[in-house]
Amino acid sequence: KRKLVADLQQKKEQAEENLKKINQELKELGEALEKLSDDEKEQSATLKSLKEEADTMTRRLNAASQLIEGLGSERQRWTEDLEDMGEVKKRL
C-alpha cells in the first residue's frame, strides 16, 4: 500500500512538472505570437504605404507620358511653322 502511495506521489510530481513545462512553453508561444502579430501589423502598414506611393508614382508617370506626347505633337507643329516661315522669308 505504501509503495502504491509512493508511486502515485511520484506520478503526481511528474505530472505537475510536465504541467509547469507546458505552461512555460505556452507562455513563450503566446509572447512569440504577440510579437508576430505586432510585426504583421507593422508590415501591413508598410505595404499599404508602399502601394499608395506606387499608385502616386504611376499617376505621375502617366501624366509625364501625356506631357511628352503632347510636346511631341507640338514639335511637329513648330517644325511645320518653321518651314512655312522659311518659305515666306524666301518670297520676301
Side-chain angles (χ1 to χ4, degrees):
K1 200 171 188 182
R2 289 181 186 213
K3 184 175 186 210
L4 179 63
V5 171
D7 286 344
L8 290 175
Q9 182 68 26
Q10 184 180 4
K11 286 182 182 179
K12 178 188 171 221
E13 289 172 3
Q14 287 176 346
E16 287 175 348
E17 187 65 32
N18 284 339
L19 179 61
K20 186 177 177 182
K21 287 179 184 178
I22 290 171
N23 282 335
Q24 181 63 30
E25 287 179 25
L26 185 59
K27 179 182 175 186
E28 290 171 3
L29 288 173
E31 290 170 354
L33 180 61
E34 186 177 335
K35 183 181 183 318
L36 288 173
S37 238
D38 291 344
D39 288 348
E40 189 268 338
K41 287 178 186 176
E42 184 180 328
Q43 295 300 325
S44 290
T46 301
L47 178 63
K48 181 181 176 186
S49 173
L50 289 173
K51 282 183 178 181
E52 290 172 356
E53 188 176 341
D55 289 342
T56 300
M57 293 300 169
T58 300
R59 286 192 302 275
R60 287 180 182 171
L61 181 60
N62 289 338
S65 294
Q66 290 175 352
L67 180 61
I68 290 170
E69 288 174 15
L71 290 175
S73 65
E74 284 297 307
R75 179 180 178 162
Q76 181 180 358
R77 187 178 66 82
W78 293 337
T79 302
E80 291 170 2
D81 287 348
L82 186 59
E83 290 171 359
D84 291 344
M85 287 182 194
E87 290 177 19
V88 169
K89 185 178 176 182
K90 285 180 187 177
R91 283 189 249 153
L92 293 176

